[in-house]
Amino acid sequence: MSSSQCFENPPTLSSTCGAGTVQEFGGLQTYITGSPDSKLAILLISDVFGYEAPNLRKLADKVASAGYLVVVPDFFYGDPIINFNDPTFDRDSWRKTHNTDKGYEDAKPVLTALKSRGVSAIGAAGFCWGGKVVVKLASSTDIQAAVVLHPGKITEDEIDDVKVPIAILGAEIDHTSPPEQLKEFGKKLSEKSEFDSFVKIFPGVAHGWSVRYSLEDESAVKSAEEAQLDMLNWFTKNQHPCL
């Protein structure tokens, strides 16, 4: 999460957007949408702009309409990046406070809270910063399926540790996670016969495209919706509730 691309096209945050509600869940303020009785849940982990991004909540509502309980926690404790170019913004301090290792630890109580509600299959999807957290979550069977979209910098060791079906959706124009690197990760994952994996590079788009698009840009919306559909299809294919 060091490339300037991580901070381009920042959303206008809104605490009231979306059809769901904000509640405390697993120790975090969380946007929750979908059927509370669903046995299938999706954890969405945001990029550095946090859980009040309208496009992210719109996606959460879309996934919920397919029958999932969807949770989008505030992993930044009310401190998302608002303006990366603000001269008073201390980038290094923010990164230190909100590192992805802490995000991984904070996600565990959220998964526990989902299971305590009777959820029997959990998928997790992460965007940029959240993509790194999801790869860490995929190193255990606490989740049943993972999708990372234009992830932050992922290491080979993290890919080697993956234990659940994982899809990686990348951008053709991405300095943080270049297509060549993601394709190499795909080769490593394909050698693991115990679970499915999938890597797809979207042409003509840049890092962040799946959630930081302009509604006025028809081409951008189309590419984002394609990625979102791929994400949903991956969860449909790989999440099976325990009966």
Side-chain angles (χ1 to χ4, degrees):
M1 194 208 75
S2 57
S3 167
S4 63
Q5 284 184 308
C6 295
F7 310 101
E8 293 174 356
N9 303 319
T12 300
L13 303 182
S14 169
S15 62
T16 59
C17 63
T21 60
V22 174
Q23 308 169 31
E24 184 173 318
F25 192 82
L28 299 173
Q29 289 297 300
T30 301
Y31 178 75
I32 302 176
T33 183
S35 171
D37 300 319
S38 178
K39 300 297 182 187
L40 299 173
I42 303 296
L43 166 63
L44 296 184
I45 305 182
S46 74
D47 57 21
V48 297
F49 297 106
Y51 83 136
E52 292 182 348
N55 284 350
L56 180 62
R57 290 193 177 184
K58 181 180 178 182
L59 173 58
D61 292 340
K62 181 189 295 186
V63 174
S65 70
Y68 293 91
L69 172 63
V70 184
V71 294
V72 191
D74 176 15
F75 286 99
F76 305 132
Y77 296 86
D79 183 36
I81 289 180
I82 303 296
N83 182 3
F84 182 71
N85 296 314
D86 182 342
T88 65
F89 174 62
D90 187 336
R91 305 175 186 185
D92 292 335
S93 176
W94 191 94
R95 288 190 178 107
K96 187 175 181 179
T97 301
H98 304 298
N99 62 77
T100 53
D101 287 336
K102 185 174 189 306
Y104 168 62
E105 293 301 326
D106 285 346
K108 292 178 182 178
V110 176
L111 300 180
T112 300
L114 285 170
K115 291 171 185 174
S116 72
R117 290 179 63 149
V119 168
S120 58
I122 302 170
F127 310 83
C128 189
W129 185 94
K132 273 192 69 74
V133 177
V134 167
V135 170
K136 295 175 189 292
L137 290 174
S139 66
S140 77
T141 53
D142 288 337
I143 62 173
Q144 282 64 58
V147 180
V148 296
L149 302 96
H150 40 86
K153 287 186 183 297
I154 297 172
T155 66
E156 284 197 22
D157 286 345
E158 287 171 331
I159 291 296
D160 286 339
D161 288 342
V162 169
K163 294 182 175 64
V164 299
I166 185 169
I168 301 176
L169 307 181
E172 179 184 12
I173 308 160
D174 196 326
H175 307 312
T176 303
S177 292
E180 299 74 22
Q181 182 187 49
L182 297 184
K183 289 174 183 176
E184 284 301 313
F185 289 163
K187 289 178 184 177
K188 289 180 74 72
L189 289 165
S190 67
E191 294 168 2
K192 300 189 178 194
S193 58
E194 61 269 32
F195 59 81
D196 288 340
S197 59
F198 173 66
V199 173
K200 179 176 177 179
I201 306 301
F202 285 71
V205 297
H207 183 91
W209 94 97
S210 72
V211 285
R212 298 206 303 269
Y213 56 88
S214 167
L215 292 173
E216 285 72 43
D217 186 335
E218 188 175 327
S219 175
V221 171
K222 184 177 180 181
S223 290
E225 289 179 342
E226 181 181 344
Q228 293 168 4
L229 182 60
D230 287 344
M231 179 193 80
L232 185 56
N233 287 341
W234 187 255
F235 288 137
T236 301
K237 175 185 175 185
N238 291 289
Q239 270 184 278
H240 307 288
C242 300
L243 302 176

